[in-house]
Amino acid sequence: MRGQLFIGEDITQDHDVQCDVCIVGSGAGGAVLAAGLVSSGLKVVMLEEGGYYDQDNFKLNEGDAYFNLYQDRGTRATSDVSITVLQGRTVGGSTTVNWTTCFRTPDRILKHWEQNFGTEAITTETLKPHFEEVERRLGIQEWPLDRVNANNKVLVDGCKKLGYEVRPLRRNVRSCADSGFCGMGCPIGAKQAMHRTYIQDALDLGLTIYSDVRAERFIIENNKTTSVVGQVLDRETSKAKGRQIQVRAKVFVSSCGAINGPALFLRSGITAEGRIGRRTMLHPVVGVTAVYENPIHPYYGAPQSAGSHEFVDRGANKIGYFLESAPLHPSLASLGGSAFGSLQGELLQNLSHTGVLLALSVDGLHPNSQGGTVRLRNDGRIKFDYPMCPELLESFKDAHQTMARISFAAGAKKVGTAHVEPVILSSDKDLKVLQQVEYGAFKHGIFSAHQMGGCMMGSDPKNSVVDTDLRMHDLQNTFVVDGSVLPTALGVNPSQTIYGLAHRAVKKVAESV
Protein backbone atom coordinates (compact mmCIF):
# COMPACT_ATOMS: atom_id res chain seq x y z
CA MET A 1 0.00 0.00 0.00
CA ARG A 2 1.47 3.33 -1.09
CA GLY A 3 1.48 6.07 1.54
CA GLN A 4 0.84 9.78 1.19
CA LEU A 5 2.88 12.92 1.70
CA PHE A 6 0.83 16.07 2.24
CA ILE A 7 2.38 19.53 2.03
CA GLY A 8 0.86 22.55 3.73
CA GLU A 9 -0.61 24.19 0.65
CA ASP A 10 -2.54 21.00 -0.14
CA ILE A 11 -4.23 20.92 3.29
CA THR A 12 -7.33 23.02 2.75
CA GLN A 13 -9.41 21.88 5.73
CA ASP A 14 -9.05 20.50 9.23
CA HIS A 15 -8.09 16.83 9.48
CA ASP A 16 -8.97 14.39 12.26
CA VAL A 17 -6.87 11.27 11.76
CA GLN A 18 -6.65 7.92 13.53
CA CYS A 19 -3.73 5.52 13.43
CA ASP A 20 -1.72 3.04 15.46
CA VAL A 21 1.35 5.24 16.01
CA CYS A 22 1.84 8.98 15.58
CA ILE A 23 5.42 10.21 15.21
CA VAL A 24 6.27 13.90 15.54
CA GLY A 25 9.43 14.66 13.55
CA SER A 26 11.02 13.06 10.49
CA GLY A 27 14.73 13.20 11.26
CA ALA A 28 17.24 10.51 12.22
CA GLY A 29 15.03 8.99 14.92
CA GLY A 30 11.54 9.36 13.50
CA ALA A 31 12.41 8.19 10.01
CA VAL A 32 14.14 4.96 11.05
CA LEU A 33 11.36 4.19 13.51
CA ALA A 34 8.61 4.87 10.98
CA ALA A 35 10.13 2.54 8.41
CA GLY A 36 10.36 -0.28 10.95
CA LEU A 37 6.82 0.21 12.22
CA VAL A 38 5.09 0.30 8.83
CA SER A 39 7.03 -2.78 7.76
CA SER A 40 5.45 -4.48 10.79
CA GLY A 41 2.02 -3.72 9.38
CA LEU A 42 1.17 -0.77 11.61
CA LYS A 43 -0.64 2.36 10.46
CA VAL A 44 1.71 5.29 11.10
CA VAL A 45 1.11 9.03 10.74
CA MET A 46 4.00 11.50 10.91
CA LEU A 47 3.89 15.26 11.49
CA GLU A 48 6.79 17.41 10.28
CA GLU A 49 7.11 21.14 10.92
CA GLY A 50 9.35 21.72 7.91
CA GLY A 51 8.59 21.45 4.23
CA TYR A 52 9.46 18.71 1.80
CA TYR A 53 12.47 19.33 -0.45
CA ASP A 54 14.70 17.06 -2.50
CA GLN A 55 17.38 17.32 -5.18
CA ASP A 56 14.82 18.57 -7.70
CA ASN A 57 14.31 21.78 -5.74
CA PHE A 58 17.47 22.26 -3.68
CA LYS A 59 18.75 25.59 -5.02
CA LEU A 60 22.35 25.25 -3.73
CA ASN A 61 22.21 28.83 -2.55
CA GLU A 62 23.02 29.59 1.08
CA GLY A 63 20.26 32.15 1.47
CA ASP A 64 17.59 29.80 0.16
CA ALA A 65 19.00 26.84 2.08
CA TYR A 66 19.03 28.57 5.47
CA PHE A 67 15.56 30.00 4.84
CA ASN A 68 13.97 26.72 3.75
CA LEU A 69 15.94 23.94 5.45
CA TYR A 70 17.06 25.21 8.87
CA GLN A 71 15.37 25.99 12.18
CA ASP A 72 14.59 29.68 12.60
CA ARG A 73 15.80 30.29 9.03
CA GLY A 74 19.36 29.50 10.15
CA THR A 75 19.32 31.97 13.05
CA ARG A 76 18.59 29.58 15.94
CA ALA A 77 20.75 30.46 18.93
CA THR A 78 20.92 30.37 22.69
CA SER A 79 18.77 32.95 24.47
CA ASP A 80 21.74 35.32 24.90
CA VAL A 81 22.73 34.76 21.23
CA SER A 82 26.23 33.66 22.26
CA ILE A 83 26.02 30.22 20.58
CA THR A 84 24.68 29.73 17.06
CA VAL A 85 22.76 26.46 16.71
CA LEU A 86 22.56 24.96 13.21
CA GLN A 87 19.68 22.48 13.02
CA GLY A 88 17.58 21.13 10.16
CA ARG A 89 13.89 21.87 9.63
CA THR A 90 12.59 19.85 6.70
CA VAL A 91 11.39 16.36 5.89
CA GLY A 92 14.48 14.35 6.87
CA GLY A 93 15.42 16.83 9.59
CA SER A 94 19.10 17.59 10.07
CA THR A 95 20.06 14.55 7.99
CA THR A 96 19.08 16.58 4.92
CA VAL A 97 21.70 19.25 5.64
CA ASN A 98 24.36 17.54 7.75
CA TRP A 99 27.86 16.79 6.49
CA THR A 100 27.35 12.98 6.46
CA THR A 101 29.79 12.00 9.24
CA CYS A 102 28.79 8.74 10.96
CA PHE A 103 30.20 7.14 14.12
CA ARG A 104 28.98 4.31 16.28
CA THR A 105 28.54 5.35 19.91
CA PRO A 106 31.96 5.19 21.63
CA ASP A 107 32.33 2.39 24.14
CA ARG A 108 33.66 4.79 26.79
CA ILE A 109 30.48 6.88 26.53
CA LEU A 110 28.23 3.82 26.89
CA LYS A 111 30.20 2.75 29.97
CA HIS A 112 29.88 6.24 31.45
CA TRP A 113 26.11 6.12 30.94
CA GLU A 114 25.91 2.69 32.54
CA GLN A 115 27.89 3.78 35.58
CA ASN A 116 26.10 7.11 36.07
CA PHE A 117 22.61 6.72 34.62
CA GLY A 118 21.74 3.03 34.86
CA THR A 119 21.62 2.26 31.14
CA GLU A 120 22.92 -1.32 31.40
CA ALA A 121 20.72 -2.44 28.50
CA ILE A 122 22.47 -0.03 26.07
CA THR A 123 25.86 -1.57 25.33
CA THR A 124 28.25 -1.94 22.42
CA GLU A 125 27.05 -5.51 21.88
CA THR A 126 23.32 -4.80 22.09
CA LEU A 127 23.65 -1.90 19.65
CA LYS A 128 25.91 -3.77 17.21
CA PRO A 129 23.21 -5.48 15.08
CA HIS A 130 21.27 -2.22 14.82
CA PHE A 131 24.35 -0.30 13.73
CA GLU A 132 25.16 -2.98 11.17
CA GLU A 133 21.69 -2.75 9.67
CA VAL A 134 21.66 1.04 9.33
CA GLU A 135 25.19 0.97 7.92
CA ARG A 136 23.97 -1.40 5.23
CA ARG A 137 20.88 0.64 4.42
CA LEU A 138 22.68 4.00 4.39
CA GLY A 139 25.91 2.91 2.70
CA ILE A 140 28.03 4.04 5.65
CA GLN A 141 31.68 3.47 4.78
CA GLU A 142 35.06 5.04 5.44
CA TRP A 143 35.84 7.78 2.94
CA PRO A 144 38.99 6.95 0.92
CA LEU A 145 42.00 8.94 2.04
CA ASP A 146 42.93 9.72 -1.57
CA ARG A 147 39.58 11.55 -1.97
CA VAL A 148 40.04 13.82 1.05
CA ASN A 149 39.82 17.43 -0.17
CA ALA A 150 42.48 20.04 0.50
CA ASN A 151 40.55 21.46 3.44
CA ASN A 152 40.53 18.11 5.24
CA LYS A 153 44.05 17.25 4.10
CA VAL A 154 45.27 20.18 6.20
CA LEU A 155 44.03 18.33 9.28
CA VAL A 156 45.55 15.04 8.10
CA ASP A 157 48.95 16.53 7.21
CA GLY A 158 49.22 18.72 10.32
CA CYS A 159 48.26 15.93 12.70
CA LYS A 160 50.67 13.46 11.09
CA LYS A 161 53.55 15.92 11.32
CA LEU A 162 52.83 16.46 15.02
CA GLY A 163 52.26 12.78 15.78
CA TYR A 164 48.54 13.17 16.56
CA GLU A 165 45.96 10.50 15.83
CA VAL A 166 43.98 11.25 12.64
CA ARG A 167 41.92 9.11 10.29
CA PRO A 168 39.38 9.27 7.47
CA LEU A 169 35.74 9.51 8.55
CA ARG A 170 32.79 7.29 7.67
CA ARG A 171 30.04 8.86 5.57
CA ASN A 172 26.48 7.87 4.58
CA VAL A 173 26.77 8.42 0.83
CA ARG A 174 26.46 6.47 -2.40
CA SER A 175 28.12 7.67 -5.62
CA CYS A 176 29.11 10.99 -4.05
CA ALA A 177 30.18 13.63 -6.58
CA ASP A 178 32.30 15.66 -4.11
CA SER A 179 30.19 18.75 -4.74
CA GLY A 180 30.70 20.20 -1.27
CA PHE A 181 27.09 21.38 -1.02
CA CYS A 182 25.95 18.92 1.67
CA GLY A 183 24.78 21.73 3.95
CA MET A 184 22.36 22.99 1.30
CA GLY A 185 20.88 19.61 0.38
CA CYS A 186 22.66 17.09 -1.84
CA PRO A 187 22.11 18.15 -5.48
CA ILE A 188 22.26 14.59 -6.85
CA GLY A 189 20.72 12.58 -4.02
CA ALA A 190 23.99 10.85 -3.16
CA LYS A 191 23.68 11.68 0.53
CA GLN A 192 21.63 8.93 2.14
CA ALA A 193 19.52 11.32 4.14
CA MET A 194 16.24 10.20 5.68
CA HIS A 195 14.01 11.66 2.97
CA ARG A 196 15.94 9.55 0.44
CA THR A 197 16.05 6.33 2.46
CA TYR A 198 13.95 5.41 5.49
CA ILE A 199 11.20 7.97 4.82
CA GLN A 200 10.90 6.71 1.26
CA ASP A 201 10.91 3.10 2.49
CA ALA A 202 8.08 3.97 4.88
CA LEU A 203 6.07 5.84 2.22
CA ASP A 204 6.33 2.82 -0.07
CA LEU A 205 4.71 0.73 2.66
CA GLY A 206 1.92 3.10 3.68
CA LEU A 207 3.27 5.92 5.87
CA THR A 208 1.24 9.14 5.89
CA ILE A 209 3.24 12.37 6.35
CA TYR A 210 1.82 15.82 6.96
CA SER A 211 4.64 18.30 6.27
CA ASP A 212 4.44 22.03 7.06
CA VAL A 213 2.58 21.05 10.24
CA ARG A 214 3.82 22.14 13.67
CA ALA A 215 2.79 19.89 16.55
CA GLU A 216 1.51 22.30 19.18
CA ARG A 217 0.66 19.99 22.08
CA PHE A 218 -0.12 16.50 23.22
CA ILE A 219 -3.54 15.98 24.79
CA ILE A 220 -3.17 14.06 28.05
CA GLU A 221 -5.93 12.23 29.93
CA ASN A 222 -5.33 10.05 33.00
CA ASN A 223 -1.55 9.97 32.47
CA LYS A 224 -1.99 8.79 28.89
CA THR A 225 -1.56 10.65 25.60
CA THR A 226 -4.78 10.53 23.58
CA SER A 227 -3.96 12.79 20.64
CA VAL A 228 -1.63 15.42 19.27
CA VAL A 229 -2.81 18.71 17.80
CA GLY A 230 -0.87 20.42 15.02
CA GLN A 231 -1.23 23.66 13.08
CA VAL A 232 -0.73 23.90 9.33
CA LEU A 233 1.95 26.50 8.57
CA ASP A 234 2.44 28.89 5.70
CA ARG A 235 5.84 27.87 4.38
CA GLU A 236 6.94 31.40 3.56
CA THR A 237 6.03 32.98 6.90
CA SER A 238 5.93 29.98 9.30
CA LYS A 239 2.65 31.39 10.61
CA ALA A 240 -0.38 29.20 11.25
CA LYS A 241 -2.87 29.21 8.38
CA GLY A 242 -5.88 28.47 10.57
CA ARG A 243 -6.15 24.79 9.69
CA GLN A 244 -5.61 22.06 12.26
CA ILE A 245 -4.48 18.44 12.20
CA GLN A 246 -5.50 16.25 15.13
CA VAL A 247 -4.06 12.75 15.27
CA ARG A 248 -5.54 10.15 17.60
CA ALA A 249 -3.35 7.09 18.12
CA LYS A 250 -2.63 4.20 20.42
CA VAL A 251 1.02 5.18 20.78
CA PHE A 252 2.81 8.53 20.38
CA VAL A 253 6.47 9.27 19.68
CA SER A 254 8.35 12.54 20.00
CA SER A 255 11.17 12.57 17.43
CA CYS A 256 11.50 16.32 16.99
CA GLY A 257 14.91 16.78 18.56
CA ALA A 258 16.66 17.96 21.69
CA ILE A 259 15.26 21.50 21.57
CA ASN A 260 11.86 21.21 19.88
CA GLY A 261 11.01 17.96 21.70
CA PRO A 262 11.25 19.33 25.24
CA ALA A 263 9.42 22.46 24.08
CA LEU A 264 6.54 20.33 22.75
CA PHE A 265 6.22 18.53 26.09
CA LEU A 266 6.34 21.81 28.01
CA ARG A 267 3.60 23.30 25.81
CA SER A 268 1.58 20.19 26.66
CA GLY A 269 2.00 20.77 30.39
CA ILE A 270 4.39 17.82 30.76
CA THR A 271 7.40 18.72 32.91
CA ALA A 272 8.42 15.40 34.50
CA GLU A 273 8.86 17.38 37.74
CA GLY A 274 11.31 19.74 36.07
CA ARG A 275 13.39 17.14 34.25
CA ILE A 276 12.08 17.97 30.77
CA GLY A 277 14.51 20.33 29.05
CA ARG A 278 17.33 19.90 31.57
CA ARG A 279 20.81 18.68 30.60
CA THR A 280 20.31 19.69 26.98
CA MET A 281 23.77 19.13 25.56
CA LEU A 282 25.71 20.59 22.66
CA HIS A 283 29.13 19.96 21.28
CA PRO A 284 30.13 23.64 21.59
CA VAL A 285 32.41 24.43 18.65
CA VAL A 286 35.28 26.86 18.24
CA GLY A 287 37.38 27.08 15.12
CA VAL A 288 40.34 28.62 13.40
CA THR A 289 40.76 29.81 9.86
CA ALA A 290 44.14 29.62 8.17
CA VAL A 291 45.46 31.09 4.92
CA TYR A 292 47.70 28.89 2.75
CA GLU A 293 49.98 29.52 -0.22
CA ASN A 294 48.27 26.86 -2.32
CA PRO A 295 44.55 26.89 -3.11
CA ILE A 296 42.27 25.13 -0.63
CA HIS A 297 38.84 25.78 -2.19
CA PRO A 298 37.07 24.89 1.08
CA TYR A 299 33.65 24.97 -0.61
CA TYR A 300 34.37 21.95 -2.83
CA GLY A 301 34.82 18.27 -2.01
CA ALA A 302 33.43 16.04 0.71
CA PRO A 303 33.00 18.62 3.48
CA GLN A 304 33.98 16.50 6.48
CA SER A 305 36.11 13.51 5.62
CA ALA A 306 38.89 13.36 8.24
CA GLY A 307 39.00 13.75 12.00
CA SER A 308 41.17 13.44 15.06
CA HIS A 309 40.22 12.17 18.53
CA GLU A 310 43.68 12.75 19.97
CA PHE A 311 42.27 15.17 22.56
CA VAL A 312 38.80 13.74 23.17
CA ASP A 313 39.75 12.37 26.59
CA ARG A 314 41.95 14.82 28.51
CA GLY A 315 41.41 13.23 31.90
CA ALA A 316 38.72 13.53 34.56
CA ASN A 317 39.49 17.16 35.41
CA LYS A 318 39.30 18.58 31.90
CA ILE A 319 36.79 18.67 29.06
CA GLY A 320 38.00 16.95 25.94
CA TYR A 321 37.39 17.90 22.33
CA PHE A 322 37.60 16.27 18.92
CA LEU A 323 38.82 17.84 15.70
CA GLU A 324 37.21 17.99 12.28
CA SER A 325 37.24 20.25 9.28
CA ALA A 326 34.28 22.08 7.78
CA PRO A 327 33.25 23.55 4.45
CA LEU A 328 33.47 27.31 4.01
CA HIS A 329 30.90 28.85 1.71
CA PRO A 330 30.74 32.67 1.68
CA SER A 331 27.79 33.22 4.04
CA LEU A 332 28.96 30.62 6.54
CA ALA A 333 32.49 32.07 6.39
CA SER A 334 31.14 35.57 7.05
CA LEU A 335 29.02 34.37 9.95
CA GLY A 336 31.76 32.26 11.51
CA GLY A 337 34.70 34.56 11.00
CA SER A 338 33.64 37.30 13.47
CA ALA A 339 35.14 39.74 10.98
CA PHE A 340 33.62 43.05 9.90
CA GLY A 341 34.37 45.71 7.34
CA SER A 342 37.76 45.45 5.66
CA LEU A 343 38.65 42.32 7.68
CA GLN A 344 35.58 40.54 6.36
CA GLY A 345 36.45 41.67 2.85
CA GLU A 346 39.94 40.25 3.28
CA LEU A 347 38.54 36.95 4.57
CA LEU A 348 36.28 36.53 1.55
CA GLN A 349 38.97 37.69 -0.86
CA ASN A 350 41.25 34.94 0.47
CA LEU A 351 38.48 32.33 0.73
CA SER A 352 39.89 30.11 -2.01
CA HIS A 353 43.14 29.84 -0.03
CA THR A 354 41.51 29.48 3.38
CA GLY A 355 41.09 26.30 5.40
CA VAL A 356 39.18 25.84 8.62
CA LEU A 357 39.53 23.49 11.58
CA LEU A 358 36.88 22.89 14.22
CA ALA A 359 37.14 21.67 17.81
CA LEU A 360 33.97 20.18 19.29
CA SER A 361 33.99 20.10 23.10
CA VAL A 362 32.45 17.04 24.78
CA ASP A 363 30.03 18.45 27.32
CA GLY A 364 28.20 16.53 30.04
CA LEU A 365 30.99 14.22 31.26
CA HIS A 366 32.67 16.64 33.64
CA PRO A 367 30.68 17.22 36.88
CA ASN A 368 30.67 20.97 36.25
CA SER A 369 29.39 20.72 32.68
CA GLN A 370 25.66 20.21 33.01
CA GLY A 371 24.69 21.47 29.57
CA GLY A 372 21.82 23.86 28.96
CA THR A 373 18.11 24.19 29.63
CA VAL A 374 15.13 24.43 27.29
CA ARG A 375 12.23 26.46 28.64
CA LEU A 376 9.32 28.44 27.22
CA ARG A 377 9.03 32.21 27.14
CA ASN A 378 5.80 33.87 28.23
CA ASP A 379 4.66 34.04 24.61
CA GLY A 380 5.36 30.32 24.06
CA ARG A 381 8.58 30.71 22.10
CA ILE A 382 11.57 28.54 22.98
CA LYS A 383 14.16 29.86 25.44
CA PHE A 384 17.43 27.91 25.34
CA ASP A 385 20.04 28.87 27.92
CA TYR A 386 23.54 27.41 27.84
CA PRO A 387 25.87 28.56 30.64
CA MET A 388 29.56 27.84 30.19
CA CYS A 389 31.64 26.57 33.07
CA PRO A 390 35.36 27.42 33.50
CA GLU A 391 36.36 23.93 32.33
CA LEU A 392 34.58 24.51 29.02
CA LEU A 393 36.37 27.80 28.50
CA GLU A 394 39.69 26.08 29.21
CA SER A 395 38.78 23.52 26.57
CA PHE A 396 38.21 26.31 24.03
CA LYS A 397 41.58 27.86 24.84
CA ASP A 398 43.48 24.59 24.58
CA ALA A 399 41.67 23.69 21.35
CA HIS A 400 42.59 27.01 19.74
CA GLN A 401 46.24 26.41 20.50
CA THR A 402 46.06 22.85 19.16
CA MET A 403 44.33 23.88 15.94
CA ALA A 404 46.75 26.73 15.34
CA ARG A 405 49.66 24.35 15.89
CA ILE A 406 48.18 21.87 13.39
CA SER A 407 47.53 24.60 10.82
CA PHE A 408 51.09 25.88 10.97
CA ALA A 409 52.43 22.33 10.76
CA ALA A 410 50.40 21.95 7.56
CA GLY A 411 51.92 25.10 6.05
CA ALA A 412 49.61 27.95 7.05
CA LYS A 413 50.92 31.49 6.50
CA LYS A 414 48.63 32.93 9.16
CA VAL A 415 45.91 31.72 11.50
CA GLY A 416 42.87 33.54 12.90
CA THR A 417 40.80 32.48 15.91
CA ALA A 418 37.46 34.26 15.27
CA HIS A 419 37.70 36.41 18.38
CA VAL A 420 35.59 39.54 18.31
CA GLU A 421 38.83 41.43 18.86
CA PRO A 422 40.75 39.74 16.01
CA VAL A 423 43.62 37.47 16.99
CA ILE A 424 45.91 36.80 14.04
CA LEU A 425 48.95 34.53 14.46
CA SER A 426 51.85 34.58 12.00
CA SER A 427 53.68 31.46 13.22
CA ASP A 428 53.61 28.90 16.00
CA LYS A 429 55.87 31.27 17.95
CA ASP A 430 52.77 33.42 18.44
CA LEU A 431 50.82 30.71 20.27
CA LYS A 432 51.63 32.35 23.60
CA VAL A 433 49.29 35.19 22.57
CA LEU A 434 46.36 32.81 23.07
CA GLN A 435 47.25 32.57 26.75
CA GLN A 436 46.44 36.25 27.15
CA VAL A 437 43.06 36.49 25.39
CA GLU A 438 39.66 35.91 26.99
CA TYR A 439 37.34 33.00 26.26
CA GLY A 440 33.59 32.64 26.60
CA ALA A 441 30.32 34.19 25.50
CA PHE A 442 30.77 37.13 23.09
CA LYS A 443 34.55 36.80 23.16
CA HIS A 444 34.70 34.67 20.00
CA GLY A 445 32.45 32.69 17.71
CA ILE A 446 30.80 29.57 19.20
CA PHE A 447 28.63 27.20 17.19
CA SER A 448 27.01 23.81 17.38
CA ALA A 449 25.27 21.55 14.89
CA HIS A 450 24.78 18.74 17.44
CA GLN A 451 21.93 18.86 19.95
CA MET A 452 21.51 16.11 22.55
CA GLY A 453 19.71 15.55 25.84
CA GLY A 454 16.73 17.30 27.39
CA CYS A 455 14.64 14.10 27.73
CA MET A 456 17.37 11.96 29.23
CA MET A 457 17.13 8.19 29.44
CA GLY A 458 17.95 6.31 32.61
CA SER A 459 16.69 3.64 34.97
CA ASP A 460 15.62 5.98 37.78
CA PRO A 461 12.42 7.98 37.12
CA LYS A 462 13.58 10.52 39.68
CA ASN A 463 16.42 11.77 37.47
CA SER A 464 15.48 10.73 33.92
CA VAL A 465 12.58 11.14 31.49
CA VAL A 466 12.58 7.85 29.55
CA ASP A 467 13.72 4.32 30.32
CA THR A 468 16.19 2.39 28.15
CA ASP A 469 13.32 1.29 25.89
CA LEU A 470 12.82 5.04 25.30
CA ARG A 471 9.35 4.92 26.87
CA MET A 472 8.49 7.89 29.09
CA HIS A 473 8.38 7.01 32.77
CA ASP A 474 5.22 9.06 33.32
CA LEU A 475 3.32 8.35 30.07
CA GLN A 476 3.27 4.66 29.23
CA ASN A 477 1.98 5.06 25.67
CA THR A 478 4.50 7.76 24.78
CA PHE A 479 8.10 7.33 23.60
CA VAL A 480 10.96 9.69 22.80
CA VAL A 481 13.12 8.53 19.89
CA ASP A 482 15.71 11.14 18.99
CA GLY A 483 18.91 12.72 20.30
CA SER A 484 17.16 14.21 23.31
CA VAL A 485 17.39 10.87 25.17
CA LEU A 486 21.21 10.95 25.27
CA PRO A 487 22.43 11.56 28.85
CA THR A 488 25.61 13.37 27.75
CA ALA A 489 27.28 14.63 24.64
CA LEU A 490 28.89 11.82 22.64
CA GLY A 491 32.32 13.01 21.58
CA VAL A 492 31.38 11.99 18.04
CA ASN A 493 28.83 13.20 15.49
CA PRO A 494 25.47 11.93 16.80
CA SER A 495 23.47 10.85 13.75
CA GLN A 496 24.41 7.15 13.76
CA THR A 497 23.79 6.81 17.50
CA ILE A 498 20.26 8.10 16.89
CA TYR A 499 19.78 5.78 13.90
CA GLY A 500 20.85 2.81 16.01
CA LEU A 501 18.68 3.66 19.01
CA ALA A 502 15.68 4.20 16.74
CA HIS A 503 16.23 0.87 15.00
CA ARG A 504 16.41 -0.79 18.42
CA ALA A 505 13.21 0.97 19.53
CA VAL A 506 11.07 -0.41 16.68
CA LYS A 507 10.30 -3.66 18.49
CA LYS A 508 9.41 -1.99 21.81
CA VAL A 509 7.16 0.62 20.21
CA ALA A 510 5.41 -1.98 18.05
CA GLU A 511 4.81 -4.23 21.06
CA SER A 512 3.12 -1.38 22.92
CA VAL A 513 0.42 -0.83 20.27
Side-chain angles (χ1 to χ4, degrees), residues 77 85 181 398 410 453 487 500:
V85 179
F181 285 84
D398 193 81

Side-chain angles (χ1 to χ4, degrees), residues 185-198:
C186 180
I188 63 169
K191 185 198 299 187
Q192 301 299 285
M194 294 299 95
H195 71 286
R196 293 280 299 172
T197 54
Y198 282 104

Side-chain angles (χ1 to χ4, degrees), residues 376-418:
L376 297 180
R377 301 180 188 273
N378 291 335
D379 62 2
R381 292 181 299 128
I382 295 171
K383 185 176 188 290
F384 179 35
D385 294 308
Y386 207 90
M388 287 176 270
C389 63
E391 290 81 5
L392 186 57
L393 305 188
E394 187 278 334
S395 177
F396 293 163
K397 176 178 285 191
D398 193 81
H400 263 157
Q401 294 183 70
T402 296
M403 291 185 289
R405 194 175 293 113
I406 290 169
S407 300
F408 285 125
K413 296 191 299 179
K414 63 179 180 178
V415 173
T417 63

Side-chain angles (χ1 to χ4, degrees), residues 395-467:
S395 177
F396 293 163
K397 176 178 285 191
D398 193 81
H400 263 157
Q401 294 183 70
T402 296
M403 291 185 289
R405 194 175 293 113
I406 290 169
S407 300
F408 285 125
K413 296 191 299 179
K414 63 179 180 178
V415 173
T417 63
H419 276 78
V420 175
E421 295 293 330
V423 177
I424 307 296
L425 312 178
S426 298
S427 74
D428 56 8
K429 295 179 181 178
D430 296 334
L431 289 176
K432 59 182 179 293
V433 173
L434 297 178
Q435 293 290 347
Q436 317 301 323
V437 297
E438 292 186 88
Y439 282 83
F442 308 112
K443 304 300 182 184
H444 49 84
I446 309 173
F447 298 83
S448 186
H450 303 162
Q451 307 87 36
M452 300 151 282
C455 293
M456 188 179 73
M457 68 174 164
S459 59
D460 187 352
K462 293 180 180 178
N463 57 26
S464 59
V465 175
V466 302
D467 62 22

Side-chain angles (χ1 to χ4, degrees), residues 16 44 51 70 87 96 115 121 148 151 188 191 214 231 238 280 285 345 354 377 388 412 422 437 466 486 513:
D16 196 318
V44 180
Y70 285 78
Q87 185 178 17
T96 305
Q115 293 167 3
V148 167
N151 197 28
I188 63 169
K191 185 198 299 187
R214 176 186 293 136
Q231 296 293 331
S238 289
T280 303
V285 177
T354 300
R377 301 180 188 273
M388 287 176 270
V437 297
V466 302
L486 307 180
V513 174

Side-chain angles (χ1 to χ4, degrees), residues 179-490:
S179 73
F181 285 84
C182 294
M184 299 170 224
C186 180
I188 63 169
K191 185 198 299 187
Q192 301 299 285
M194 294 299 95
H195 71 286
R196 293 280 299 172
T197 54
Y198 282 104
I199 290 288
Q200 189 59 56
D201 295 347
L203 281 169
D204 290 343
L205 293 170
L207 173 68
T208 298
I209 304 178
Y210 291 92
S211 66
D212 304 300
V213 174
R214 176 186 293 136
E216 294 290 349
R217 66 189 184 281
F218 290 116
I219 306 300
I220 312 298
E221 297 179 9
N222 299 319
N223 293 321
K224 185 177 181 181
T225 306
T226 60
S227 67
V228 62
V229 176
Q231 296 293 331
V232 180
L233 304 180
D234 179 273
R235 191 176 291 185
E236 290 301 310
T237 65
S238 289
K239 294 181 178 179
K241 299 177 71 172
R243 292 185 285 277
Q244 178 177 288
I245 307 290
Q246 183 158 5
V247 185
R248 307 174 195 275
K250 300 172 184 176
V251 174
F252 294 83
V253 182
S254 172
S255 294
C256 42
I259 296 177
N260 289 355
L264 172 59
F265 285 121
L266 293 173
R267 288 197 301 271
S268 307
I270 304 167
T271 67
E273 297 182 350
R275 295 185 298 277
I276 296 285
R278 288 178 51 205
R279 288 186 62 85
T280 303
M281 299 289 169
L282 303 175
H283 284 140
V285 177
V286 295
V288 302
T289 56
V291 178
Y292 295 85
E293 188 71 40
N294 295 322
I296 298 294
H297 300 305
Y299 30 77
Y300 294 139
Q304 213 167 245
S305 50
S308 172
H309 280 71
E310 176 76 20
F311 302 94
V312 76
D313 185 356
R314 302 172 62 221
N317 295 321
K318 292 185 177 181
I319 294 176
Y321 53 87
F322 58 108
L323 303 173
E324 294 176 344
S325 191
L328 269 189
H329 292 265
S331 292
L332 188 60
S334 298
L335 176 68
S338 295
F340 299 91
S342 60
L343 284 175
Q344 186 179 72
E346 182 181 349
L347 170 68
L348 295 176
Q349 188 175 31
N350 290 325
L351 192 60
S352 63
H353 286 256
T354 300
V356 62
L357 298 181
L358 303 180
L360 297 83
S361 292
V362 189
D363 225 350
L365 302 179
H366 191 283
N368 291 340
S369 63
Q370 296 295 308
T373 304
V374 173
R375 290 289 180 261
L376 297 180
R377 301 180 188 273
N378 291 335
D379 62 2
R381 292 181 299 128
I382 295 171
K383 185 176 188 290
F384 179 35
D385 294 308
Y386 207 90
M388 287 176 270
C389 63
E391 290 81 5
L392 186 57
L393 305 188
E394 187 278 334
S395 177
F396 293 163
K397 176 178 285 191
D398 193 81
H400 263 157
Q401 294 183 70
T402 296
M403 291 185 289
R405 194 175 293 113
I406 290 169
S407 300
F408 285 125
K413 296 191 299 179
K414 63 179 180 178
V415 173
T417 63
H419 276 78
V420 175
E421 295 293 330
V423 177
I424 307 296
L425 312 178
S426 298
S427 74
D428 56 8
K429 295 179 181 178
D430 296 334
L431 289 176
K432 59 182 179 293
V433 173
L434 297 178
Q435 293 290 347
Q436 317 301 323
V437 297
E438 292 186 88
Y439 282 83
F442 308 112
K443 304 300 182 184
H444 49 84
I446 309 173
F447 298 83
S448 186
H450 303 162
Q451 307 87 36
M452 300 151 282
C455 293
M456 188 179 73
M457 68 174 164
S459 59
D460 187 352
K462 293 180 180 178
N463 57 26
S464 59
V465 175
V466 302
D467 62 22
T468 52
D469 291 334
L470 309 189
R471 187 196 306 266
M472 294 187 73
H473 292 302
D474 300 333
L475 291 169
Q476 287 303 296
N477 72 330
T478 307
F479 292 77
V480 181
V481 183
D482 59 24
S484 68
V485 304
L486 307 180
T488 69
L490 294 171

Side-chain angles (χ1 to χ4, degrees), residues 167-178:
R167 67 184 64 184
L169 299 179
R170 300 162 77 239
R171 307 180 64 225
N172 59 311
V173 296
R174 299 184 192 273
S175 302
C176 177
D178 290 357

